[in-house]
Amino acid sequence: MVMLDDSVIGDTERLAAVHRARRVLPALPIPLDAMAGLAAKLLHAPMAAVTLVGDEEEHFVGVHRLPESLTAQGRAPLAYSVCKYIVSQDHPVFVGDMLTDDTGQLRDHPLATEYGVRAFLGVPVRDSRDRPVGSLTVLGTETRQWTDDDVAALVEIAEVLRPPDARDSTPEIGTLDTEDLLDSAQEAFLAVKPDGVVAGYNRAAEELLGFTADEVCGRHLDHSLLPHYDEQPIGAALDRLFTAAPERQLLREITVRHRAGHRLTVTASLSVVRGTAGALACVFLTDVSEQAAARDLAVRHGSFLAALLDALAVGVIACDDAGQVVVMNQVLRDFQRLPATGPLPTDYPESIDGVLHDAAGQPLSWQQTPLMRAYRGEHVEAEDVLAAMPGDQTRTFATTARPVVAEDGRLLGAVAVAHELTEMRRAERFRACHLAVQQKLSAAATMAEATPGVLEVVGTTLAWPCAELFLLDEVTGDLRPVGHWAADGDDGREVADDFFGHLPRRGYGITGRVWQTEQALWVPDIGNSAELRSPYEKERVRACTRRGIHSVLAVPVRDGGTLLGVLTCYAGTREQHHDLLTVLLDGVAAQIAVYVTLRRAEELARQLTRAQDDFLDLVGHEMRTPLAAITANATMLADDAHTLDGEHQQMVHAIARNTAALEKIVGALLDLAGLDSGHVTLSTSRLDLGELVAAGVAAARHQAAGSGVRLHTDLSADVRLEGDPHRLRQVVDDLLSNAVKYSLLGGDVHIRVTRDADMAELCISDTGIGTPHDEHDRVFDRFFRGNNVRHQGITGSGLGLSLARTIVSLHGGTIRLTENQPSSTMVCVRLPAPPETPPDA
């Protein structure tokens, strides 16, 4: 049980002794903080204090690891003192657990409730007349069983602290009876004069440094220990120490030489005391070589780790067990425009407010970030985080985060790794963009109609505010605007002369330069571009600046080597990866080029078709009437040819023959036009293909005999199908006529009719001049005749195979031309011939 005797505390003689002790104790040659530290170490306690107890306050004259908030003023109210009990009782007081005190004065003591003190042991510090003026007390934060040896050790140290009478001279360290006490201390100790000569040296110093006291004492430090501070000889540091004469001990890390020759890293606790012999530096040394080596290793590891983290292409950020960000590598520092080295801002979580968003674009608070989620124990796997610093583009990071846990399960912090996927995500969006562009183009009848939708898709994908498209006028060759898009919905009507709707000048401005060079152009900062210097270009720059445009990318729209136009897109922020953006926009430009080329080809085809139709109308209606009159008159002349001489008879027959040929061409043209347009339809019935071909062969034999060509048939019986007998006979007659016409004298023509499951096939092969391989597909085009035919002077219109293909196609069949080795030709016609369905029984 502890007791407080107010009469003892308030005794006037004792208080006078306390006042004298406050002046005398600091003059002792032994630093009182070191004595408190020595007591704590000898008794294995975390804290110790040498105090003088007044009537209202206790004064701290020597402390070891007491909370600074308690000792910062050098004194504390008696309510915070346990030393008052020691002074009151004037003998050692020890308590193993303050919280078990039944009286409550210790259980509710501020040292217990505010500073976590659980146990203490204190002995009185007396003056020269044996009056209790204070105490030497050791304190712990855990319960403790104090022993008699603990008490005895503390009493012995307290004796050293007995203040001398004020009338006595202050003894020197050499005259104090402290040698045994210092030798019992575990810390190495030496006393040094201002000139660097060692005046005191204990046994612990001998064990630490290898030198004996005889080898050190009375000699200069440089002759034995050769201490260095801050890699410099100790002399200058000693001069500063004695000049400053600090009241409290200083801690410095120095190196000293061991007797074996190697150097040790030690922590030196330095203070200056003054005695009759002058000032002395009291130095307590603690070997920290292993700690220094470990620290150096940690520094090297830390430097290596920092270099490794900064070399990574991914961003790394980590927090400690308190959730404070302690690591951020160069990638993230650069992104957030932070210094390459140095501590992070204390308000870092607040500094990124509004910068981070989730994949859906919703803002992320600091506590919602992957790092903080991992700090709370969550494992985050490759989640997309959108980040945009003011004025910069939005960038995408796939972020993985993990808590960092020690082997014993303690949370040490958390780490997050951010892999930038801006290019990849943008490429993914552009794949979808290309599909959307294709849909916009497919749904539009003209480029002008498609342009706003196409540009909206592109601008939305890029998250850019404006885009416009220009196409070359086919007649004038000028580059003219086709359409534009703005994210703010501005249709350009109010700014037609300002931003949209301008006419580019070849070689000037961004669009004009692409027009001239036919190469993509990227301007990262249009407001500071040194290239755009002409008055026209400066005006365009001002128009862009007024719109908040920062970067511009223009790409040519080309069909092969032909420039069709320019696609120009505008960004409102600083952009990266312009190479990727150029490739992506080139893809859109290629889609536009294909569309424009196709639409122009379609228009050309329509014009050609109209011209062809006009020609056929001309032939059909304007030529048929005069041709009919020529034919009638030629016939009448032929009937009366017997009245003419031989020469005139030949002329009449030539007129009749060529008129018949011309009628045949006109008839073929009209048939083609009618069948293609649908004005002429098929008249189908059930027929036997073999019989129809046999009739055609019989009719062709006269022509074949005149050319010395033999006809060979292989006609399957009963090859029935639905077809127009007249039109199919036209096909057979034209194919047979060609086979005979192009066969050599004495050649052979083979005609075969076969049938498989549901198709009938007619094949006619000759032994003629053949058709060049690269012209096989063209022989069915109207008016086309092969090079070899024209060179040999064989007459023909080039309409027979075209008409045959049209008729066969209308029957749902196919016609193809193949080679009949070694040099002749085979034409095969396949027609649907499904089996007849038997009538119901």
Side-chain angles (χ1 to χ4, degrees):
M1 178 180 296
V2 297
M3 297 174 54
L4 178 63
D5 189 336
D6 291 333
S7 62
V8 174
I9 298 296
D11 181 76
T12 55
E13 292 186 2
R14 193 194 73 81
L15 292 176
V18 169
H19 183 70
R20 287 193 298 274
R22 289 180 60 193
R23 291 185 290 107
V24 173
L25 271 179
L28 285 176
I30 300 177
L32 299 180
D33 285 350
M35 295 305 293
L38 178 62
K41 290 184 178 181
L42 289 176
L43 273 67
H44 306 291
M47 297 176 287
V50 179
T51 61
L52 297 175
V53 178
D55 57 343
E56 294 181 352
E57 296 178 322
E58 69 174 347
H59 303 272
F60 299 102
V61 293
V63 296
H64 177 73
R65 294 185 179 176
L66 258 67
E68 187 175 356
S69 60
L70 180 64
T71 63
Q73 302 298 322
R75 62 186 182 275
L78 282 185
Y80 285 83
S81 173
V82 293
C83 303
K84 61 190 177 186
Y85 302 124
I86 302 159
V87 171
S88 292
Q89 297 178 220
D90 195 19
H91 64 71
V93 175
F94 54 88
V95 174
D97 187 357
M98 296 174 68
L99 300 185
T100 61
D101 174 48
D102 295 335
T103 64
Q105 59 182 336
L106 294 182
R107 185 178 64 244
D108 300 328
H109 195 282
L111 288 183
T113 59
E114 296 181 25
Y115 296 102
V117 175
R118 293 289 297 274
F120 67 88
L121 164 61
V123 297
V125 173
R126 296 183 173 86
D127 67 358
S128 60
R129 300 185 181 182
D130 213 32
R131 287 174 294 210
V133 293
S135 73
L136 171 62
T137 308
V138 293
L139 307 97
T141 56
E142 297 180 357
T143 59
R144 173 81 177 264
Q145 293 295 326
W146 303 103
T147 67
D148 292 341
D149 289 340
D150 294 335
V151 176
L154 210 58
V155 169
E156 185 177 355
I157 298 174
E159 278 300 309
V160 176
L161 299 175
R162 182 186 293 269
D165 192 281
R167 294 163 296 182
D168 298 336
S169 61
T170 302
E172 294 181 71
I173 191 168
T175 65
L176 287 174
D177 189 17
T178 61
E179 184 175 341
D180 291 340
L181 178 62
L182 290 177
D183 282 344
S184 68
Q186 295 181 357
E187 282 186 312
F189 170 81
L190 64 155
V192 183
K193 296 179 180 180
D195 58 2
V197 175
V198 179
Y201 189 78
N202 72 347
R203 185 176 296 115
E206 291 182 349
E207 294 174 355
L208 174 64
L209 303 174
F211 293 98
T212 65
D214 292 340
E215 292 174 317
V216 175
C217 291
R219 299 187 179 188
H220 194 278
L221 284 169
D222 289 344
H223 295 159
S224 55
L225 305 181
L226 196 62
H228 283 179
Y229 172 64
D230 204 15
E231 299 184 357
Q232 299 295 324
I234 202 68
L238 276 177
D239 292 341
R240 292 194 298 270
L241 178 66
F242 282 105
T243 300
E247 295 182 359
R248 302 179 68 85
Q249 63 180 348
L250 302 177
L251 292 179
R252 297 289 186 269
E253 188 172 284
I254 65 174
T255 64
V256 294
R257 182 176 63 183
H258 191 275
R259 195 175 191 279
H262 61 275
R263 298 195 69 81
L264 298 176
T265 301
V266 297
T267 298
S269 175
L270 305 165
S271 60
V272 176
V273 298
R274 300 186 182 277
T276 56
L280 287 176
C282 294
V283 185
F284 284 87
L285 302 177
T286 303
D287 184 8
V288 293
S289 298
E290 292 185 2
Q291 295 94 315
R295 185 172 63 249
D296 290 343
L297 181 62
V299 170
R300 289 196 298 272
H301 286 177
S303 299
F304 175 79
L305 178 60
L308 176 63
L309 291 177
D310 288 342
L312 294 176
V314 298
V316 179
I317 184 171
C319 67
D320 60 16
D321 58 353
Q324 299 296 316
V325 176
V326 293
V327 172
M328 180 182 291
N329 74 339
Q330 197 64 46
V331 169
L332 290 187
R333 284 178 178 265
D334 289 345
F335 169 70
Q336 296 180 54
R337 306 171 194 164
L338 295 174
T341 59
L344 295 170
T346 55
D347 62 343
Y348 174 74
E350 291 77 15
S351 70
I352 63 168
D353 185 37
V355 172
L356 303 181
H357 298 76
D358 62 17
Q362 297 300 313
L364 289 178
S365 68
W366 175 245
Q367 293 302 321
Q368 293 173 316
T369 62
L371 180 65
M372 288 294 96
R373 288 162 56 192
Y375 175 70
R376 295 192 295 272
E378 185 178 348
H379 286 228
V380 180
E381 291 289 348
E383 286 191 7
D384 278 4
V385 174
L386 309 183
M389 295 297 291
D392 278 351
Q393 69 171 121
T394 298
R395 297 163 68 179
T396 303
F397 294 87
T399 307
T400 298
R402 294 282 189 278
V404 180
V405 181
E407 292 183 359
D408 59 4
R410 289 180 298 110
L411 178 67
L412 302 179
V415 62
V417 177
H419 179 202
E420 185 170 4
L421 299 179
T422 304
E423 293 183 64
M424 182 183 298
R425 293 292 185 260
R426 180 168 272 173
E428 291 172 352
R429 291 198 302 273
F430 253 79
R431 283 195 287 272
C433 170
H434 288 161
L435 292 176
V437 166
Q438 190 59 47
Q439 292 174 351
K440 296 289 185 182
L441 293 172
S442 299
T446 65
M447 194 65 241
E449 179 184 337
T451 297
V454 168
L455 296 182
E456 179 181 6
V457 170
V458 174
T460 304
T461 300
L462 290 172
W464 289 5
C466 303
E468 54 187 337
L469 177 66
F470 303 86
L471 291 179
L472 285 171
D473 188 290
E474 291 185 275
V475 177
T476 65
D478 294 333
L479 193 64
R480 297 186 176 278
V482 179
H484 63 267
W485 170 82
D488 58 8
D490 187 351
D491 61 6
R493 285 175 294 186
E494 297 180 0
V495 291
D497 297 329
D498 183 21
F499 192 78
F500 292 123
H502 69 284
L503 293 177
R505 298 182 184 178
R506 183 178 173 84
Y508 294 92
I510 298 172
T511 303
R513 289 170 185 251
V514 176
W515 178 11
Q516 181 184 53
T517 64
E518 300 187 17
Q519 299 294 322
L521 179 59
W522 165 252
V523 180
D525 187 354
I526 190 171
N528 295 312
S529 175
E531 300 295 325
L532 306 174
R533 293 177 294 183
S534 71
Y536 167 77
E537 290 172 324
K538 290 180 179 178
E539 178 54 36
R540 290 302 303 155
V541 168
R542 286 192 290 270
C544 289
T545 303
R546 287 192 292 271
R547 275 234 170 214
I549 301 303
H550 191 279
S551 306
V552 182
L553 175 59
V555 297
V557 178
R558 279 190 298 248
D559 176 28
T562 302
L563 181 70
L564 301 178
V566 178
L567 172 62
T568 306
C569 298
Y570 305 88
T573 58
R574 283 188 291 268
E575 287 286 339
Q576 297 179 343
H577 316 303
H578 72 273
D579 290 339
L580 172 66
L581 294 172
T582 302
V583 171
L584 297 175
L585 280 185
D586 275 339
V588 174
Q591 289 180 283
I592 294 174
V594 170
Y595 179 87
V596 171
T597 302
L598 180 61
R599 285 291 180 264
R600 289 180 177 178
E602 289 175 348
E603 179 60 26
L604 179 60
R606 282 193 291 270
Q607 292 176 5
L608 291 174
T609 300
R610 284 195 296 271
Q612 181 174 290
D613 290 343
D614 291 344
F615 174 71
L616 292 176
D617 286 342
L618 175 65
V619 171
H621 300 289
E622 301 301 325
M623 292 183 64
R624 173 170 271 187
T625 300
L627 186 59
I630 293 172
T631 301
N633 286 286
T635 301
M636 288 187 290
L637 283 174
D639 290 342
D640 296 331
H642 62 278
T643 63
L644 303 175
D645 58 24
E647 183 179 354
H648 286 87
Q649 286 182 5
Q650 291 180 357
M651 293 173 63
V652 170
H653 289 308
I655 292 172
R657 182 174 64 254
N658 286 291
T659 301
L662 188 57
E663 277 191 316
K664 184 176 181 181
I665 292 173
V666 172
L669 284 172
L670 293 176
D671 282 345
L672 274 172
L675 291 170
D676 283 341
S677 65
H679 294 155
V680 176
T681 59
L682 299 179
S683 178
T684 62
S685 62
R686 198 69 179 171
L687 58 86
D688 188 320
L689 183 60
E691 293 179 357
L692 185 142
V693 171
V697 171
R701 288 194 182 276
H702 177 72
Q703 177 190 1
S707 302
V709 175
R710 296 179 292 274
L711 302 181
H712 307 275
T713 59
D714 180 10
L715 310 178
S716 298
D718 199 27
V719 181
R720 296 189 173 277
L721 53 82
E722 243 355 91
D724 185 328
H726 172 66
R727 295 301 178 185
L728 290 178
R729 177 62 186 269
Q730 277 185 279
V731 173
V732 172
D733 289 345
D734 281 337
L735 295 181
L736 287 172
S737 176
N738 285 344
V740 172
K741 183 192 304 183
Y742 298 124
S743 289
L744 300 177
L745 183 64
D748 295 285
V749 173
H750 294 269
I751 305 100
R752 185 180 73 251
V753 173
T754 59
R755 174 178 180 159
D756 54 23
D758 55 1
M759 296 292 289
E761 185 176 69
L762 164 64
C763 289
I764 300 175
S765 60
D766 60 42
T767 54
I769 61 176
T771 301
H773 181 76
D774 57 350
E775 296 180 355
H776 280 191
D777 292 334
R778 300 185 61 193
V779 295
F780 296 102
D781 294 341
R782 295 180 185 182
F783 306 111
F784 178 80
R785 305 190 71 222
N787 288 325
N788 57 346
V789 173
R790 293 197 303 274
H791 291 160
Q792 295 192 25
I794 302 175
T795 60
S797 65
L799 293 173
L801 289 178
S802 181
L803 179 59
R805 182 177 63 178
T806 300
I807 294 171
V808 170
S809 297
L810 290 173
H811 279 81
T814 61
I815 182 170
R816 73 181 189 281
L817 184 145
T818 61
E819 293 180 358
N820 183 28
Q821 298 298 336
S823 63
S824 52
T825 302
M826 175 185 292
V827 179
C828 290
V829 176
R830 288 180 60 82
L831 298 167
E836 289 188 73
T837 303
D840 295 338

